[in-house]
Amino acid sequence: MLYLVAGLLGLCAGRLLVPLIRAELERAPVRSVMARRPNCDCPVRPADYAPLWWWAGSRGSCSRCNRPAGVFYRLVEPVTAAAWAGTVGLVGAQWVLASFLWMVSVTVVLSFVDLRSYRLPNRVLVPGVVVGLLLLAGGALLDGRIGDLPEALASGLGYSVALLIPALLTRGAIGMGDVKLALLLGLFTGYHGWETTVAALVGGFLLAGAVGVLLLALRRITRHDHLPFGPFMVAGAWLAIVRALASFNS
Ligand SMILES: [Zn+2]
């Protein structure tokens, strides 16, 4: 029941993230994107605000202009719903829950934007980190775990510094956006111990390497292409947090 409610709330949150992602990809103001249907440029209708319905109601393409919704944007709501249900299930009734829901929502936006544009925009990163830190600190205080915050901060800085060196040396494969994303991910993984941050870092590199080798083998990319690194860092951090909390809860 709890998972169902969290999943439904996650679907609604995902519906809000769709125009945020589209605004970043089209470099358009959020307000102008919100005035249009999620999948095309027709004016938005009241029914479009329901998650999934904006494409499911018309079988995936706009009934007026026939533009297909595309798999990319249709994935946002289910991914967010699954992330919210998992977060609620694992973090449970703690005050820090709000901060972790914030973190997964911000990282969903960043991952989708990075996948398509190879950018991690400051317009999302800066509020993501600042609000995330405030929510985590407030939650930790109310949970009586404020003592864990210094380790979280140190882990965030540590993860950033670990990426700063390759970012400065490689010019491209790892960017300054990844360094800032590492601050956010290090903060939230480090709240469960610095080992969790190390697991997130290692997991991110392993996932990126494995997918890279697979895509090379399938000839989907060449050796000169590079993959966006952000989504792999996010996946590594999510998995590290799941592992830390699952072993803590059992
Ligand atoms: Zn349309």
Side-chain angles (χ1 to χ4, degrees):
M1 185 62 195
L2 183 67
Y3 287 94
L4 192 68
V5 172
L8 285 174
L9 288 173
L11 276 180
C12 297
R15 176 63 187 82
L16 287 174
L17 302 185
V18 170
L20 293 182
I21 293 166
R22 192 174 169 197
E24 280 309 322
L25 290 175
E26 296 180 3
R27 295 178 184 253
V30 174
R31 191 191 285 179
S32 87
V33 175
M34 294 280 257
R36 289 177 270 156
R37 300 200 68 204
N39 53 334
C40 63
D41 295 328
C42 300
V44 71
R45 302 173 306 190
D48 295 332
Y49 291 108
L52 304 178
W53 191 249
W54 57 270
W55 58 267
S58 53
R59 297 207 193 109
S61 55
C62 176
S63 52
R64 196 181 299 173
C65 70
N66 284 321
R67 192 198 288 187
V71 178
F72 184 77
Y73 285 114
R74 281 192 275 177
L75 277 173
V76 176
E77 290 158 333
V79 167
T80 313
W84 273 49
T87 304
V88 168
L90 281 166
V91 178
Q94 300 184 62
W95 287 103
V96 290
L97 178 62
S99 68
F100 278 86
L101 291 174
W102 172 264
M103 185 274 281
V104 296
S105 306
V106 169
T107 52
V108 165
V109 173
L110 290 170
S111 297
F112 275 86
V113 171
D114 198 16
L115 272 177
R116 191 155 273 187
S117 70
Y118 299 86
R119 293 184 302 123
L120 292 167
N122 279 330
R123 199 158 72 141
V124 182
L125 270 171
V126 173
V129 172
V130 172
V131 175
L133 176 59
L134 292 175
L135 285 175
L136 184 66
L141 190 67
L142 291 168
D143 287 332
R145 282 187 59 187
I146 195 75
D148 292 332
L149 205 62
E151 187 171 356
L153 279 168
S155 302
L157 290 173
Y159 194 173
S160 288
V161 171
L163 287 196
L164 187 61
I165 297 147
L168 292 174
L169 291 178
T170 58
R171 287 180 168 272
I174 294 172
M176 291 312 286
D178 297 318
V179 174
K180 286 173 247 174
L181 175 61
L183 188 62
L184 179 72
L185 298 178
L187 190 65
F188 281 87
T189 51
Y191 187 68
H192 304 293
W194 62 270
E195 305 89 339
T196 310
T197 309
V198 174
L201 190 159
V202 173
F205 275 97
L206 288 179
L207 283 170
V211 171
V213 167
L214 187 70
L215 290 177
L216 270 177
L218 294 171
R219 296 180 189 277
R220 297 292 296 272
I221 56 170
T222 69
R223 279 175 48 207
H224 303 292
D225 291 325
H226 65 258
L227 294 171
F229 192 42
F232 297 106
M233 292 171 63
V234 167
W238 284 13
L239 290 173
I241 292 172
V242 167
R243 184 170 154 267
L245 284 174
S247 63
F248 180 77
N249 290 347
S250 64

